[in-house]
Amino acid sequence: MQPMHFLQTLHKLLNQIDPHLPLESSLSSLLETIAKDLGYSRLALAIIHPETKALKLSLTHDGSRQERDTYSPGQGISGQVLASGTTMVLERIKDHPEFLNFAGRTPEQLSNTSFICVPIPEPFVEGKRTVLGVLSVDLPPAPKEQLNEHKIFLEIIATVIARQAAYLQEHMIIAERLKAQGGRKADLSTAAKNIVASSKSMGLVLEQIGQVAGSKATVLIRGESGTGKELL
């Protein structure tokens, strides 16, 4: 594959990234574009759960996902990449017994498919290497030189989508907590102990504070002078 083809795909992806689009559908669209342009039969994004430290399948290029696609650090190829922070390239999946075939590939596919798994770096941490997930692809068998070209391209893509992946990780946690509460938002009336409020509007504000307080998201607070923005 010509280097220009990788550059054209990268250019297309950078034009697709839009912070105003729904996060999950935007990432799915990016994965679909990559798979279509580069001939990947499967492209998957898995995010580490910050509390359990398990690696959970989050998105695939075709929108499919399986609840059992969960890896512990060091388990399978994806788990090894998560634990080491180092890309792994398999020329033929069949030759690697540690590969966990959760996607249900046929024996023929295992014999005729290469696999690349790259770490997704934590975009908010400076001074140390932290991994928040992995990006993996199935692709037709190819010489080592060509597989290395795909490896370099995917490592670039992993860096490009790292911020979106971090937000997806936060959304995953929020969704789980809401599910645990039976779909109800928690009572966050004591979220800001230096604020006394009883109105419905302020109750909503305090709920929103509780949703973002533990995340890394940037929050814009607007209001007239003297309304107490600095207390939040």
Side-chain angles (χ1 to χ4, degrees):
M1 185 170 292
Q2 296 297 320
M4 183 58 68
H5 191 66
F6 288 111
L7 291 175
Q8 290 172 339
T9 300
L10 179 59
H11 182 263
K12 187 184 298 185
L13 295 176
L14 293 175
N15 286 332
Q16 272 186 246
I17 295 176
D18 186 344
H20 299 99
L21 293 177
L23 181 62
E24 187 165 327
S25 60
S26 177
L27 272 174
S28 294
S29 177
L30 292 177
L31 298 183
E32 184 178 2
T33 296
I34 297 170
K36 182 178 180 180
D37 279 17
L38 300 181
Y40 297 151
S41 56
R42 188 173 189 271
L43 176 56
L45 171 69
I47 303 296
I48 188 173
H49 193 294
E51 296 175 356
T52 66
K53 303 304 179 185
L55 191 65
K56 184 72 174 179
L57 178 68
S58 297
L59 293 172
T60 59
H61 79 276
D62 60 0
S64 64
R65 65 172 78 181
Q66 294 174 304
E67 289 302 318
R68 63 192 178 106
D69 286 8
T70 302
Y71 307 82
S72 299
Q75 181 189 27
I77 300 301
S78 296
Q80 290 178 34
V81 171
L82 175 67
S84 67
T86 304
T87 297
M88 293 186 68
V89 180
L90 312 185
E91 292 186 54
R92 190 171 67 159
I93 295 177
K94 183 181 178 181
D95 297 334
H96 298 267
E98 70 273 31
F99 184 88
L100 300 178
N101 186 26
F102 284 164
R105 300 168 184 82
T106 66
E108 181 180 358
Q109 289 172 332
L110 293 174
S111 298
N112 297 285
T113 302
S114 295
F115 182 81
I116 302 175
C117 186
V118 304
I120 301 174
E122 167 64 68
F124 302 100
V125 176
E126 297 181 359
K128 63 178 180 178
R129 185 176 180 84
T130 306
V131 178
L132 65 84
V134 300
L135 187 66
S136 61
V137 302
D138 289 16
L139 67 165
K144 287 184 178 180
E145 295 76 12
Q146 290 186 21
L147 291 177
N148 189 58
E149 291 175 354
H150 286 277
K151 165 186 171 291
I152 294 172
F153 173 77
L154 290 168
E155 288 174 338
I156 293 172
I157 294 302
T159 301
V160 169
I161 68 171
R163 189 172 296 273
Q164 284 85 357
Y167 290 144
L168 185 63
Q169 183 187 55
E170 293 176 0
H171 285 200
M172 177 175 64
I173 296 301
I174 291 173
E176 286 186 0
R177 289 175 179 171
L178 287 176
K179 183 178 181 180
Q181 297 161 11
R184 297 176 289 104
K185 296 180 180 178
D187 181 7
L188 300 171
S189 59
T190 60
K193 297 184 183 304
N194 57 342
I195 296 178
V196 178
S198 59
S199 69
K200 183 177 180 179
S201 297
M202 280 305 299
L204 176 60
V205 170
L206 294 178
E207 285 187 350
Q208 292 174 331
I209 291 173
Q211 290 176 356
V212 301
S215 77
K216 302 162 188 172
T218 299
V219 178
L220 173 63
I221 301 177
R222 298 186 298 177
E224 296 181 5
S225 177
T227 55
K229 297 187 296 297
E230 69 281 358
L231 296 177
L232 304 179

